[in-house]
Amino acid sequence: MVGSSHEALHRIFQKDPALLTRALQSVLRIPFPEPREFAAMNVDLTEIEPVERRVDTLLRAETDDGVYLLVVESQGLPDARKRGSWPYYLSYLHEKYRCEPVLIVITQNSATARWAAAPIHLGVRGCPSLTVRPFVLGPDNVPVIVDEREAERDVPLAVLSAMTHGRGPHAAAILENLAAALRTIDADSAAVFVQFVDSCLGDPRAQQMWRDLMTAIQYFWRHPLAEQVREEGREEGRASGTAQAILRILRNRQIDLPDSVRERILSSTDVDELETWLDRSLQVTDAAGLFGEGF
């Protein structure tokens, strides 16, 4: 189970390596050749010396232009030590594997993105012997995907959008459309993506909204991430917990909630009925739409 945003931000590329090359090509506009094959590699770059050097994710990409090593680093805050370790990673990998290494840094923080993108110069000031220019994915260049059809076209990129922008003003729209798009892919992959997103949502309200949205997707309940939600459901009773989830979703979607609608939701003890309303709460444009025609 993914336990932190640091881990989730780089492990998404282990889950879908092709997303990394799409991000290089379409987000960073780097003419990276189309890979024929990917392979995960050992992330431990430590040699005999007792200094641990470990990258977050390391992928081998075979292309018509040759073999590339994609080094992915998840960065929460600026860290001066990286100005020395990143050049080491690249030179070590090039020497050991005789392949071209590419450094990609991913972050949820704009200030950290600007820091990471600054070239690293080693040598004489103004005339360096070595310059490293990291490629950075962050809030300023990862697309904000708030359209359901766009999310369905590239679900992993929509997941990356949610992970990167989950603390921003577009979080609600991103999460709602991603929840709908997850229904279009296989359940096992979707369950992994659900966990990645949950780990990256630092805003408690956004995280609660995401968990409420996920209660409408049955495969979510097979995932370890759902244990906390299940515990809450056991305490309140399944019907009561589902009713509360419906109300939270409507509030988060800023849909007006008349007292009569609120009372009808809270008074229902029919779990099947409540789950139907829960599904509808993701799509309706007014509260009356929960109950279908004739309300």
Side-chain angles (χ1 to χ4, degrees):
M1 180 173 176
V2 177
S4 69
S5 60
H6 175 94
E7 189 177 0
L9 283 169
H10 68 87
R11 279 188 56 187
I12 186 176
F13 299 116
Q14 297 175 16
K15 170 64 180 172
D16 186 351
L19 172 63
L20 189 55
T21 55
R22 292 200 301 278
L24 288 171
Q25 294 164 350
S26 62
V27 177
L28 298 178
R29 306 298 181 187
I30 295 168
F32 192 84
E34 198 65 36
R36 296 190 305 272
E37 184 179 350
F38 287 100
M41 300 183 66
N42 187 354
V43 297
D44 192 345
L45 308 187
T46 307
E47 294 187 284
I48 297 174
E49 64 272 18
V51 177
E52 183 180 5
R53 298 184 185 275
R54 184 181 298 270
V55 299
D56 288 332
T57 286
L58 179 60
L59 300 170
R60 175 187 172 100
E62 295 191 11
T63 77
D64 290 338
D65 293 348
V67 177
Y68 289 86
L69 300 179
L70 304 178
V71 182
V72 184
E73 284 281 278
S74 174
Q75 197 68 32
L77 296 171
D79 182 350
R81 293 173 298 177
K82 296 294 187 179
R83 311 294 287 181
S85 58
W86 286 343
Y88 169 84
Y89 295 164
L90 300 182
S91 59
Y92 173 86
L93 290 168
H94 185 269
E95 175 64 20
K96 182 173 182 177
Y97 296 104
R98 296 298 175 178
C99 302
E100 297 300 329
V102 180
L103 175 62
I104 304 102
V105 180
I106 181 164
T107 181
Q108 296 174 293
N109 184 282
S110 293
T112 301
R114 291 190 293 272
W115 166 83
I120 301 169
H121 301 296
L122 301 180
V124 178
R125 187 182 299 274
C127 189
S129 297
L130 175 66
T131 298
V132 173
R133 292 184 171 86
F135 300 132
V136 181
L137 296 168
D140 297 329
N141 56 16
V142 172
V144 177
I145 298 180
V146 294
D147 179 79
E148 183 177 334
R149 284 189 291 272
E150 185 179 358
E152 290 176 356
R153 282 195 296 271
D154 194 338
V155 173
L157 185 60
V159 172
L160 184 62
S161 178
M163 295 164 65
T164 307
H165 300 285
R167 301 179 182 180
H170 302 290
I174 293 172
L175 296 177
E176 286 175 8
N177 288 288
L178 174 58
L182 286 174
R183 297 173 182 270
T184 66
I185 65 174
D186 70 277
D188 290 337
S189 293
V192 174
F193 287 144
V194 165
Q195 187 183 9
F196 286 162
V197 173
D198 187 88
S199 297
C200 289
L201 294 176
D203 181 348
R205 290 187 60 188
Q207 187 178 65
Q208 185 60 60
M209 177 185 179
W210 179 241
R211 293 181 178 187
D212 289 342
L213 289 166
M214 291 302 96
T215 60
I217 303 178
Q218 294 304 310
Y219 57 72
F220 173 69
W221 296 95
R222 303 202 313 266
H223 201 278
L225 174 62
E227 184 58 34
Q228 180 179 345
V229 180
R230 286 200 293 268
E231 287 296 333
E232 294 170 358
R234 293 188 191 107
E235 292 174 3
E236 298 178 356
R238 188 175 176 190
S240 177
T242 304
Q244 292 296 334
I246 294 169
L247 296 178
R248 281 196 295 266
I249 290 172
L250 293 175
R251 284 198 300 268
N252 285 325
R253 296 188 63 212
Q254 298 182 332
I255 291 177
D256 186 53
L257 196 61
D259 290 341
S260 59
V261 172
R262 182 190 305 274
E263 290 172 6
R264 181 168 177 179
I265 294 170
L266 293 175
S267 63
S268 176
T269 57
D270 185 331
V271 173
D272 290 337
E273 177 181 63
L274 284 163
E275 288 185 348
T276 297
W277 295 348
L278 184 65
D279 287 341
R280 291 175 181 170
S281 71
L282 304 173
Q283 304 293 334
V284 296
T285 56
D286 58 71
L290 286 175
F291 313 118
E293 296 180 359
F295 173 73

